Amino acid sequence: MTSTASEDPISALRTEAVEQLSAADSADALESWRVEFLGRKGKLTGILRNLGSLKPDQRRAAGAAANRLKGELEAAFEEKLTASKRSGASQPADAIDVTLPGRRPRAGGLHPSTQIMREMLDAFNEMGFQTVEGNEVELERYNFDMLNIPADHPARDMQDTIWIDRDRDSADGGILLRTQTSPMQPRIMEQQDPPVRIVSPGKCFRFEATDATHEWQFHQIEGLAVDEGLSFADLKGTLYEFARRIFGADRKVRFRCDFFPFVEPGVDMSIDWDGRWVEILGAGMVHPRVLSNVGYDPEKYTGFAFGVGPERVALLKYGIEDIRHFFSNDLRFLSQF
Ligand code: FA5
């Protein structure tokens, strides 16, 4: 309803203000209403300012009516504001609703590779192996030459790899992303005299055709023990114990002859996966030439070494069907661990 010509200005303003206040349905609309009617330049203030132009007898009555209207409108505004706050109309859409039941905040977690690596390292640490961190960017000399893999050796082809600087003019050869954690063997032996008993976890990179059990980036844990009188029985005993701790006593384990230029003899170890053998590590007795390369006396010392893949171990332990899940950053996979 709008004002009629016969209404006095105060009654007309009351009618207009009440109508518009009841139509104001948001915090913004309420604020606009307040400015329009009660603000410093608002309509009611305008009426109050004009009182001076009235005759004295009219001025008193009009002043009282205008002040009464001001009180009414302020009270109506406060009431509407409180009601709209209670109903949530004045809250932004993303405000926290304190009436909802509590929800657990989403916490981050350790990557499954990190979890399985920690479990594996714990097992080796308990057997007396000390953890040593290594570097992912490696010199050709440590990744290949010191490990008895000269430039023309076919074993290099199997790990044809990611070079950072291949044709560097240096006695250390080129620089590459390491293809295995085995370069930690000569690095550690150069730094200390026997006895040595270390495990070294870290990432490896290979120019690899990927499939369910092969990724182009993956982790390995290198193990190395060198002392007087170490034999192949020590190697087998250590790896059997490791498998028992990770997979339980009932899981079938298989050793087979394998070739790695830096061990002699060499083996690989596989674990039964529903009737199928899946290789988890390569190992062997440290080659006498590798011992000589770092200045150890191969007549006096012997040692064993192994390189085990944590993602392969996790496949078998948790029944994951494809190794490519590990680095595809899919939360549906990662949040299961
Ligand atoms: C080696 O890398 C040797 N350095 C292991 C070794 C160390 C032998 C010390 C003797 C003495 P191999 O390429 O087989 O070997 O890899 C060892 C393990 O790393 C594999 O059994 C597997 O568990 C893991 N691995 C190798 N390639 C991949 C790959 N592409 N994706 C995922 N895991 C891999």
Side-chain angles (χ1 to χ4, degrees):
M1 201 174 75
T2 50
S3 61
T4 62
S6 61
E7 268 181 310
D8 67 274
I10 291 177
S11 301
L13 186 60
R14 175 183 285 110
T15 309
E16 187 190 355
V18 168
E19 256 179 29
Q20 291 199 18
L21 183 62
S22 77
D25 57 359
S26 69
D28 285 348
L30 274 173
E31 178 57 14
S32 304
W33 182 92
R34 190 192 64 76
V35 171
E36 185 180 345
F37 292 98
L38 295 172
R40 250 180 339 114
K41 294 181 184 162
K43 290 180 175 167
L44 184 61
T45 316
I47 287 181
L48 288 166
R49 281 212 186 102
N50 278 336
L51 289 176
S53 63
L54 297 176
K55 291 191 195 119
D57 58 328
Q58 289 175 329
R59 195 186 302 153
R60 184 170 314 144
N67 277 321
R68 209 168 32 250
L69 177 60
K70 187 169 184 239
E72 283 171 32
L73 293 185
E74 281 173 353
F77 174 74
E78 285 303 324
E79 193 179 321
K80 177 101 187 202
L81 189 66
T82 309
S84 97
K85 273 187 185 157
R86 207 178 298 127
S87 72
S90 64
Q91 300 281 347
D94 58 354
I96 294 169
D97 182 351
V98 293
T99 63
L100 281 176
R103 277 168 296 177
R104 193 183 285 275
R106 237 175 128 143
L110 290 175
H111 189 277
S113 295
T114 307
Q115 290 185 39
I116 190 75
M117 274 200 292
R118 289 193 179 179
E119 198 178 326
M120 292 161 70
L121 290 170
D122 281 350
F124 287 121
N125 292 159
E126 281 165 21
M127 288 189 260
F129 289 79
Q130 190 187 343
T131 302
V132 182
E133 298 267 356
N135 38 309
E136 293 175 2
V137 178
E138 189 51 280
L139 297 169
E140 186 175 1
R141 186 161 82 92
Y142 287 99
N143 199 83
F144 295 123
D145 302 83
M146 295 283 278
L147 291 169
N148 200 27
I149 314 175
D152 54 357
H153 198 286
R156 284 205 184 195
D157 294 345
M158 284 157 52
Q159 297 186 10
D160 194 0
T161 188
I162 302 165
W163 292 89
I164 287 172
D165 184 353
R166 187 168 203 163
D167 302 315
R168 222 165 61 109
D169 186 18
S170 159
D172 291 328
I175 299 176
L176 71 161
L177 295 185
R178 68 176 171 191
T179 62
Q180 49 185 350
T181 44
S182 296
M184 286 307 287
Q185 294 182 33
R187 280 189 177 278
I188 290 293
M189 288 192 280
E190 274 184 345
Q191 284 166 25
Q192 70 171 86
D193 291 329
V196 175
R197 207 182 287 181
I198 61 100
V199 275
S200 187
K203 237 179 201 172
C204 306
F205 306 83
R206 287 185 196 172
F207 185 66
E208 185 92 75
T210 60
D211 61 27
T213 53
H214 291 84
E215 253 294 10
W216 69 269
Q217 60 166 342
F218 53 95
H219 291 89
Q220 284 187 345
I221 295 177
E222 192 75 10
L224 174 69
V226 184
D227 205 347
E228 287 182 51
L230 286 183
S231 74
F232 197 81
D234 296 304
L235 162 67
K236 261 186 127 173
T238 303
L239 294 178
Y240 265 133
E241 178 59 16
F242 160 72
R244 195 187 64 75
R245 289 183 186 219
I246 297 294
F247 297 107
D250 298 334
R251 199 79 176 250
K252 281 194 216 144
V253 174
R254 182 186 74 179
F255 280 99
R256 262 190 341 184
C257 290
D258 202 346
F259 173 75
F260 303 95
F262 38 96
V263 290
E264 181 57 39
V267 289
D268 64 41
M269 185 172 122
S270 301
I271 304 287
D272 176 50
W273 194 15
D274 291 337
R276 177 184 154 201
W277 292 107
V278 176
E279 182 206 303
I280 62 159
L281 62 84
M285 299 305 289
V286 180
H287 197 290
R289 206 170 292 153
V290 175
L291 295 175
S292 314
N293 285 345
V294 296
Y296 283 10
D297 179 358
E299 298 295 327
K300 187 172 176 195
Y301 297 109
T302 51
F304 64 85
F306 54 87
V308 51
E311 284 84 18
R312 290 265 181 94
V313 170
L315 290 188
L316 294 158
K317 192 170 160 79
Y318 302 120
I320 300 162
E321 82 284 0
D322 198 311
I323 203 166
R324 287 167 290 198
H325 289 314
F326 280 86
F327 298 109
S328 59
N329 276 343
D330 188 337
L331 279 180
R332 287 171 304 177
F333 172 73
L334 296 175
S335 59
Q336 291 178 44
F337 290 87

